[in-house]
Amino acid sequence: MRAFATALTALFGRRARRRWIHLILGGALAMPYVFVGSVIVGPLLGEDNVFGSITSQLGAFAVGLPLAAITALFPLTRPMSVAAVRALCDVPGEVLADGPARSRQARGRTVAWFTLHLGFGGVISGMSLALPPFAAVLVALPFVAALRDSRVGMPEALGEGWMLALCPVAGVLGLVALAGCAAAAGNLLARWAPALLGPSPADRLAAAEQRAADLAVRNRLARELHDSVGHALSAVTLQASAARRVLDRDPEFVREALAAIEETTRRTVGELDAVLGVLREGGSDGASPTAPAPTLAADLDGLLGRTRAGGLRVRATVDLGPGGPDALPPMVSREAYRIVQESLSNALRHAGPDAPLTLRIALDGADLEIVAENPLPRTAPVSRPGGGHGLRGITDRARLLGGTVRAGPDDGVWRVDVRLPLKGPAEGPRATTEPKGPVRT
């Protein structure tokens, strides 16, 4: 009984019905090519009505399939076929390729699939149109006298009593045979779909490149969020703390701190909106945030001023030649700004308020050198859950430009030394991080 139920499910279950629809779709796509084939076959056979003869129909079908194979070379054929297979054949989507075929081999496999789909679909569609009415007549023949009297073009042998008794059985078997043929053809197409419509090496390479591009964009946005928001929170916390301590005795300092907090939060909200806008749009096209990223040329003085308002005593030396920060390449200026910002954030978090920090930004031959030094804290910093991204972000930014990073304790101070080539990496990324002690976040 279980075997019978399994057989019925295989022939008439949901999967079988969906694949049957897929075959009917193939038959519908084959009809225009069959009509063109009939125009060619008709004069050759000297027949006015090609569809009145089974031989002529098969000839038109045989001529139409090569025409279908030629049109399968169009780019949209594979996306259309893949969409139909995913929707109707219960084939896992990940084993099928996306987009048009890129290589000659992939186009050839698409042609083979399209031809098979239309070929099987045309045969099953023809059987689906012819067999059910004929089977219905056979089933009803013993019970409807009008059908027996009209004969409806059936053989004389069907007038015999024993033949009439077998007609319903023959009709049911015909329907079962049709379902079996449809199920077999659907199973074959579903089995061949991954091989003929699956990704080629070129498709896999393109997908890997797209994933790498998406990951690069996500990592860049994560760095922007970490550097911008992390610095803002550290600065605002220390500015508010410093203002609270001198609230009663130094109102002027409090006003400066509140102004710095306002400016810091305003700039950070703008940068955050820009980054979140890219994330909302998907972030997969490599687009940059809509708001301009801060650079040394545009905001170095503002960054140092806001940091000093938090209590950190920054002594900065900037030696960038006659052109100053405006002469730096835009990418170097942008990444250098974030590196300086993160170095200041580290000092704010770990050295504490009122700590001195020495910052030097200078040209050294063909490189831009950034050196930040601040006293080591007397007690080891408390590690934060999820920490460890600050120095990593500096290293990633330096690697982007082919630069180097050295960070760690050095003679009683924490020293971050970054070198960025002004002309970009000449021999590939060469960023290194060599901490000599506990790595800060």
Side-chain angles (χ1 to χ4, degrees), residues 251-345:
E252 183 62 28
F253 178 82
V254 173
R255 281 193 291 269
E256 293 178 1
L258 290 177
I261 290 173
E262 180 183 4
E263 175 65 17
T264 300
T265 54
R266 181 185 296 113
R267 292 181 60 86
T268 304
V269 168
E271 295 177 16
L272 182 61
D273 286 343
V275 174
L276 293 180
V278 176
L279 289 175
R280 281 192 293 267
E281 294 170 3
S284 59
D285 56 356
S288 297
T290 55
T295 62
L296 288 182
D299 193 46
L300 177 59
D301 292 339
L303 175 63
L304 295 177
R306 293 189 297 273
T307 304
R308 289 179 178 125
L312 189 67
R313 292 181 285 127
V314 182
R315 185 177 64 196
T317 302
V318 181
D319 184 9
L320 297 177
D326 293 327
L328 294 175
M331 180 175 289
V332 174
S333 183
R334 183 176 67 245
E335 300 303 327
Y337 177 92
R338 291 302 192 191
I339 290 172
V340 171
Q341 184 183 57
E342 183 57 35
S343 299
L344 297 176
S345 297

Side-chain angles (χ1 to χ4, degrees), residues 53-355:
S53 166
I54 185 64
T55 302
S56 301
Q57 293 178 29
L58 292 176
F61 191 64
V63 172
L65 280 183
L67 298 177
I70 295 173
T71 60
L73 293 172
F74 287 105
L76 288 178
T77 302
R78 189 170 75 169
M80 179 191 70
S81 300
V82 167
V85 170
R86 282 176 173 164
L88 297 173
C89 291
D90 290 331
V91 176
E94 61 271 14
V95 302
L96 302 176
D98 291 313
R102 294 178 173 86
S103 63
R104 181 179 301 178
Q105 181 185 17
R107 288 193 292 270
R109 291 190 285 121
T110 302
V111 168
W113 168 265
F114 194 69
T115 306
L116 287 171
H117 182 204
L118 268 61
F120 282 155
V123 172
I124 297 301
S125 296
M127 294 174 63
S128 299
L129 288 173
L131 271 178
F134 182 67
V137 170
L138 289 179
V139 172
L141 193 61
F143 312 103
V144 181
L147 289 177
R148 295 195 299 272
D149 295 338
S150 66
R151 307 302 302 161
V152 291
M154 289 184 289
E156 292 289 338
L158 291 180
E160 301 293 335
W162 64 274
M163 286 293 292
L164 284 176
L166 292 178
C167 280
V169 178
V172 172
L173 290 178
L175 293 177
V176 173
L178 171 60
C181 291
N187 288 337
L188 284 176
L189 288 181
R191 182 177 301 176
W192 291 337
L196 298 179
L197 296 178
S200 64
D203 296 322
R204 294 189 180 94
L205 178 60
E209 291 175 347
Q210 183 61 45
R211 287 194 297 270
D214 293 344
L215 182 60
V217 171
R218 289 179 178 274
N219 286 340
R220 179 174 60 81
L221 295 179
R223 287 197 304 269
E224 294 292 330
L225 283 175
H226 175 272
D227 292 350
S228 177
V229 178
H231 172 80
L233 291 176
S234 298
V236 166
T237 300
L238 290 178
Q239 287 161 354
S241 176
R244 179 180 56 80
R245 291 197 304 269
V246 298
L247 181 61
D248 296 327
R249 64 177 184 273
D250 195 349
E252 183 62 28
F253 178 82
V254 173
R255 281 193 291 269
E256 293 178 1
L258 290 177
I261 290 173
E262 180 183 4
E263 175 65 17
T264 300
T265 54
R266 181 185 296 113
R267 292 181 60 86
T268 304
V269 168
E271 295 177 16
L272 182 61
D273 286 343
V275 174
L276 293 180
V278 176
L279 289 175
R280 281 192 293 267
E281 294 170 3
S284 59
D285 56 356
S288 297
T290 55
T295 62
L296 288 182
D299 193 46
L300 177 59
D301 292 339
L303 175 63
L304 295 177
R306 293 189 297 273
T307 304
R308 289 179 178 125
L312 189 67
R313 292 181 285 127
V314 182
R315 185 177 64 196
T317 302
V318 181
D319 184 9
L320 297 177
D326 293 327
L328 294 175
M331 180 175 289
V332 174
S333 183
R334 183 176 67 245
E335 300 303 327
Y337 177 92
R338 291 302 192 191
I339 290 172
V340 171
Q341 184 183 57
E342 183 57 35
S343 299
L344 297 176
S345 297
N346 277 342
L348 283 170
R349 284 194 293 264
H350 298 294
D354 301 325

Side-chain angles (χ1 to χ4, degrees), residues 8-44:
L8 284 180
T9 301
L11 293 178
F12 302 103
R14 179 178 178 273
R15 175 183 292 182
R17 295 195 304 270
R18 290 165 62 88
R19 290 178 177 176
W20 201 332
I21 294 173
H22 182 252
L23 290 166
I24 298 299
L25 176 62
L29 293 174
M31 287 306 298
Y33 303 102
V34 174
F35 283 132
V36 174
S38 67
V39 174
I40 299 173
V41 170
L44 293 177

